Amino acid sequence: MSLDQEIYQQRRAKLGELQALGAAAYPHHYAATHRLAEIAAEYSGWDAERLERDRIHVKVTGRIMTLRGHGKAGFAHLQQAGERLQIYVRQDALGETGFAVWKLVDLGDWLGVEGYLFRTRTGELTVHAEKIELLAKACRPWPEKWHGLQDIERRYRQRYLDLTVNLESRAIFLRRDRLMRFLREAFQQRGYLEVETPMMQPMAGGAAARPFVTHHHALDIPLYLRIAPELYLKRLVAGGLERVFEINRNFRNEGISTRHNPEFTMLEFYEAFSDYRALMSWSEQLLASAARAVTGSEQVTFHGQTLDFSQCQRLSLREGVPRFWPVAAGPKPGPEFWADRSQLEAAVAAYNRYAATAGAGAPIPSPSGADAGELVMALFENLAEEHLVQPTIVYDFPLSVSPLAKSKPDEPDWVERFEIYAGGMEIANGYSELNDPEEQERRFRQQAGADAAIDSDYVRALEYGMPPTAGEGIGIDRLVMLLTDAASIRDVILFPLQRPETVAEPEGLGG
RNA sequence: GGGGCGGUAGCUCAAUGGUAGAGCAUUGCCCUUUUAAGGCAAGGGUUCUGGGUUCGAGUCCCAGCCGCCUCACCA
């Protein structure tokens, strides 16, 4: 029998002993008078004399995190919502039966304690227990109290342990919650309506990622988990919901990395009678206020660097290529390299030679097959992205990589689109929305290929008329990473996708 | 999918190719103001799996599984 199983059986047996003492193994409720945080807030200033004079009776609950037996007495720390409070028990205060219950208590158990506050010789605020009740037993052995749970895989798999033992992990999710509240409030104040659109879609549109496929039995049709809510949200704008936002999951059947989880949370929002310029300014303010709301400052530490959200740098995509051109790759492309096919291909060739020799990056495949826009985009992503540590708005993208964005009036091959980068990651993407149905249909057909299906209801919605609109998506998980200095997207997602585990059964319940 | 690193007791970690250890946790005894409580004693191992080299493998080699990092994929 393994130690796990041995401990499991010992602790189940203790539940039986507890019932023999007249207690419930798993009681239904416990009426506490205080949260541990309330006790800390109200009585941390009280000295021993005052606590003795105005004796404060409390009933508290918490999980046992430390346990120190002293013969016919003992100490423990209860933890509740990240707060700890010490309790002191002694046989003469608890009585024979109460003390027998104490003897059956283990690390990790949930306990209800009734008593009065006092200060120990070392001055620690402590509950002098008069009555204790086991509320739920930890039948599995608890992680080590000092080093805690380090194994990164187990921290994700068994988040319930991680959240209790690693309080910095708990703090990340409290910050995440604060960000979500802030964002909802900010959008409501700007007159936005929060909506929910289908996560199961008959066609996966709005982005170019591989979808997950499932099947609906009653209708006998394939359904796709959405890769973006975009096309549904814009239908709503066409329907007169002039400002809408949605915060929810997208699903992309692609690789997993420190910046990618197959399901991730996206904030998408659309406002009528607006354009990408307006959204750039508003996004800039939004990020600054979000940083302040969540961290208390517009300057945020991320991977040892200070990111300043008080203002975004701005840079056109086309400028980015010469700006971040590495010396080792030879002469910089000229300022209008993108307008001339031969200059562009020369730049790609120079970059590819550089990528091969320095091992500094991935080569850009098949320059002759790609159109100019794809090449400029590839150059930008390979050269610039990692340098965009300070919050930066990159604007004006090639049309060929932006099938849903509206062209620039004076440059038909370029669109009114921007992305926001910070910490070397893309965190937002927005544009003036294309609302000409014929133009949209042409671009869909070009993207999908002649025979492939396109979302013709979306085109139909545009045919009824969608007002001029600007929209944007913000990657919430990555934003949380920035605001919590997280190294991996998995640190900011409670249950990141992992290969399934086979759970060890504790051969409990007497076999 | 490519490359790099890792997998040892419940947890955190040690161990030149030579008897697998420590701290915490667990069990028993002592202990009525401790706090990583303390003292005495005990139990606990498929060293990820399978092959191979060797007198001898946790250690070296090969294959596989799992994880992390990285590159690729991913508007």
Side-chain angles (χ1 to χ4, degrees):
Chain A
M1 184 160 64
S2 76
L3 187 62
D4 246 354
Q5 292 162 348
E6 202 176 306
I7 289 174
Y8 185 86
Q9 293 194 351
Q10 283 165 5
R11 296 193 178 180
R12 289 301 301 194
K14 287 181 183 179
L15 283 180
E17 294 180 47
L18 202 72
Q19 287 171 300
L21 291 169
Y26 285 95
H28 287 67
H29 75 291
Y30 190 84
T33 58
H34 295 74
R35 307 278 300 161
L36 297 190
E38 290 171 342
I39 289 178
E42 289 173 39
Y43 301 110
S44 60
W46 286 38
D47 62 18
E49 289 72 31
R50 188 168 176 198
L51 286 169
E52 198 171 343
R53 194 175 61 238
D54 307 337
R55 188 170 273 201
I56 306 296
H57 278 87
V58 298
K59 284 179 83 174
V60 295
T61 63
R63 169 168 247 158
I64 298 174
M65 299 304 288
T66 63
L67 201 51
R68 297 176 290 281
H70 276 269
K72 294 184 177 59
F75 288 91
H77 274 107
L78 297 187
Q79 182 171 304
Q80 175 191 72
E83 288 283 335
R84 286 193 181 190
L85 181 66
Q86 182 169 257
I87 65 166
Y88 175 54
V89 305
R90 38 193 295 167
Q91 191 173 39
D92 52 16
L94 285 186
E96 289 289 333
T97 309
F99 200 71
V101 171
W102 167 254
K103 287 292 196 188
L104 295 172
V105 147
D106 289 294
L107 279 180
D109 288 356
W110 291 94
L111 204 63
V113 178
E114 182 173 0
Y116 59 89
L117 296 175
F118 78 111
R119 285 201 182 269
T120 61
R121 273 179 204 158
T122 54
E124 181 165 347
L125 187 64
T126 301
V127 180
H128 196 294
E130 294 169 320
K131 215 171 163 185
I132 64 171
E133 186 179 348
L134 184 69
L135 302 181
K137 191 137 199 69
C139 295
R140 300 254 193 181
W142 202 249
E144 208 245 7
K145 65 185 169 191
W146 192 242
H147 298 94
L149 188 62
Q150 300 292 322
D151 185 285
I152 206 161
E153 181 186 353
R154 270 193 75 190
R155 290 182 48 204
Y156 301 146
R157 282 195 196 284
Q158 296 181 274
R159 194 62 101 170
Y160 39 89
L161 294 178
D162 182 47
L163 288 169
T164 303
V165 171
N166 299 316
L167 291 182
E168 64 281 6
S169 179
R170 177 189 172 88
I172 285 177
F173 294 101
L174 296 188
R175 279 194 174 193
R176 185 174 176 130
D177 169 74
R178 224 181 302 163
L179 177 67
M180 302 314 265
R181 288 168 193 267
F182 165 81
L183 290 171
R184 287 200 157 88
E185 174 72 19
F187 278 90
Q188 277 160 19
Q189 283 188 0
R190 198 177 159 90
Y192 270 80
L193 198 67
E194 179 167 8
V195 298
E196 288 161 285
T197 61
M199 312 252 275
M200 300 167 80
Q201 305 177 348
M203 305 187 69
R210 277 178 71 186
F212 289 91
V213 192
T214 185
H215 183 261
H216 189 275
H217 292 304
L219 296 180
D220 191 23
I221 52 166
L223 285 173
Y224 300 89
L225 300 190
R226 75 174 181 196
I227 54 177
E230 172 157 0
L231 301 182
Y232 285 93
L233 291 172
K234 283 191 281 190
R235 283 172 168 89
L236 299 179
V237 177
L241 301 183
E242 292 175 14
R243 293 190 169 195
V244 290
F245 77 100
E246 176 166 12
I247 300 178
N248 223 320
R249 237 67 64 76
N250 289 346
F251 306 87
R252 297 187 180 176
N253 203 341
E254 283 154 8
I256 298 174
S257 79
T258 45
R259 290 181 297 281
H260 301 262
N261 193 61
E263 58 176 309
F264 62 100
T265 299
M266 182 81 104
L267 159 65
E268 279 206 22
F269 56 99
Y270 292 83
E271 57 179 54
F273 315 113
S274 188
D275 70 359
Y276 82 141
R277 282 178 198 82
L279 279 197
M280 284 192 254
S281 306
W282 151 242
S283 304
E284 203 168 37
Q285 292 167 28
L286 188 71
L287 287 179
S289 338
R292 206 178 325 111
V294 172
T295 71
S297 168
E298 292 174 0
Q299 284 77 41
V300 172
T301 300
F302 184 68
H303 297 6
Q305 289 174 289
T306 301
L307 309 188
D308 186 356
F309 281 98
S310 63
Q311 206 186 350
C312 288
Q313 302 170 15
R314 297 203 186 191
L315 172 76
S316 78
L317 183 102
R318 289 171 275 192
E319 286 173 85
V321 172
R323 164 98 51 110
F324 296 106
W325 191 260
V327 179
K332 281 185 189 189
E336 303 231 326
F337 72 99
W338 41 270
D340 178 289
R341 182 79 198 188
S342 61
Q343 273 192 63
L344 182 56
E345 288 193 7
V348 171
Y351 167 76
N352 279 345
R353 277 194 302 276
Y354 161 75
T357 54
I364 296 167
S366 63
S368 54
D371 74 41
E374 288 165 345
L375 292 179
V376 180
M377 185 78 174
L379 280 171
F380 177 82
E381 285 181 339
N382 284 290
L383 290 170
E385 187 162 352
E386 63 177 308
H387 298 290
L388 301 177
V389 174
Q390 286 305 319
T392 303
I393 294 179
V394 177
Y395 59 91
D396 290 352
F397 280 64
L399 180 142
S400 62
V401 296
S402 315
L404 298 160
K406 200 177 236 176
S407 303
K408 289 172 70 74
D410 50 343
E411 290 184 291
D413 291 338
W414 295 81
V415 296
E416 295 191 344
R417 172 178 168 194
F418 66 97
E419 291 185 344
I420 304 178
Y421 288 82
M425 295 185 292
E426 179 193 338
I427 57 172
N429 179 19
Y431 35 84
S432 303
E433 305 296 337
L434 177 60
N435 60 345
D436 174 341
E438 291 189 12
E439 169 75 12
Q440 185 65 77
E441 182 168 1
R442 240 189 332 270
R443 295 212 209 157
F444 274 163
R445 296 242 176 258
Q446 195 168 6
Q447 186 188 26
D451 302 330
I454 65 165
D455 190 338
S456 43
D457 176 67
Y458 175 69
V459 174
R460 182 165 60 183
L462 297 186
E463 288 168 353
Y464 281 101
M466 180 175 84
T469 298
E472 181 176 341
I474 297 180
I476 294 297
D477 310 285
R478 289 181 181 176
L479 184 54
V480 175
M481 286 175 70
L482 293 171
L483 299 181
T484 58
D485 197 14
S488 166
I489 199 167
R490 273 160 288 188
D491 293 329
V492 304
I493 293 174
L494 282 166
F495 298 102
L497 187 72
Q498 289 178 296
R499 205 177 290 271
E501 174 202 24
T502 39
V503 177
E505 300 282 342
E507 295 165 9
L509 300 170

